[in-house]
Amino acid sequence: MAEVKISAKSRTEFGKGAARRARREGLVPGVVYGHGTEPVHVNLPGHTLMLALKTPNALLSLDVDGKKQLVIPKAVQRDAIKGFLKHVDLLLVKSGEKVTVEVRVNTEGELAPGGNLLEHLLNALPVETEATHIPESVTVSIAGLDAGHSILAKDITLPAGTTLAVEEDTVVLQVVGAQAEAPAGEGEAEGEEA
């Protein structure tokens, strides 16, 4: 995963008023923390940050007033209606350090014929991986699976250096059989007798 370089400025004003002023200027308030250091409050360029966060588990090379640090997004707050970024929490990481993140589960192939449905019990799989080598997603083949089959976390092939952060027997995907609907005539007849 490529690093995204972002310049940020430390901020000294706090509260709703300061946050609104920052957002009007196209900035997103945030906080950088981790490794036992004091939290650093920053303002980040909104458009650049929004583009960087389109990639899941983005690795950001943050330049705060000339001091460079590697961070990953830990919590992102968006406006519920308009979707713009309101606040972001960034976690300090070091090259080679292991972090626990969730990676998207993609599927490939077609289920066995018969109208079965694929149920995603986990859309994202919790894994532990090196901070500078976070996979964007994992892909699972569902080709030919029939009703009753399930794919467990241990059945998913992970990239080198990545391990599961959930129990191996956790069900990630399962195939459920299509339920037959009762013919329209039978349901109406039962309703009339009652």
Side-chain angles (χ1 to χ4, degrees):
M1 171 177 292
E3 291 178 23
V4 178
K5 293 181 174 35
I6 295 182
S7 294
K9 295 177 184 165
S10 58
R11 62 186 167 102
T12 54
E13 292 185 314
F14 304 101
K16 288 182 183 179
R20 286 185 185 131
R21 280 192 294 279
R23 286 190 209 105
R24 274 195 300 270
E25 296 172 16
L27 301 173
V28 177
V31 63
V32 180
Y33 60 91
H35 294 284
T37 61
E38 286 291 318
V40 177
H41 299 275
V42 295
N43 280 328
L44 302 127
H47 184 69
T48 307
L49 182 62
M50 180 192 65
L51 292 175
L53 294 179
K54 287 189 182 286
T55 304
N57 299 317
L59 181 64
L60 307 176
S61 176
L62 197 63
D63 183 353
V64 181
D65 300 329
K67 184 179 178 185
K68 295 187 184 329
Q69 302 170 317
L70 283 179
V71 296
I72 58 173
K74 193 66 176 170
V76 178
Q77 295 175 11
R78 296 182 185 271
D79 182 80
I81 297 171
K82 296 182 180 178
F84 64 84
L85 296 173
K86 291 179 72 174
H87 189 272
V88 64
D89 288 0
L90 302 169
L91 180 65
L92 284 171
V93 294
K94 293 179 182 171
S95 185
E97 177 184 1
K98 293 274 191 177
V99 293
T100 302
V101 294
E102 292 187 345
V103 294
R104 187 176 61 246
V105 177
N106 294 331
T107 58
E108 64 182 9
E110 297 289 323
L111 294 174
N116 296 321
L117 301 171
L118 180 66
E119 185 178 8
H120 287 257
L121 298 176
L122 289 179
N123 289 321
L125 185 66
V127 296
E128 186 178 64
T129 187
E130 191 176 320
T132 54
H133 295 92
I134 300 172
E136 285 187 33
S137 63
V138 292
T139 303
V140 180
S141 174
I142 58 166
L145 293 182
D146 207 351
H149 282 95
S150 59
I151 295 178
L152 304 177
K154 67 181 177 184
D155 300 331
I156 298 175
T157 305
L158 298 174
T162 303
T163 57
L164 290 172
V166 294
E167 294 292 324
E168 290 184 346
D169 294 333
T170 302
V171 178
V172 179
L173 303 167
Q174 69 181 9
V175 181
V176 292
Q179 298 177 354
E181 293 183 19
E186 289 180 22
E188 292 173 7
E190 290 174 8
E192 290 174 6
E193 290 175 11

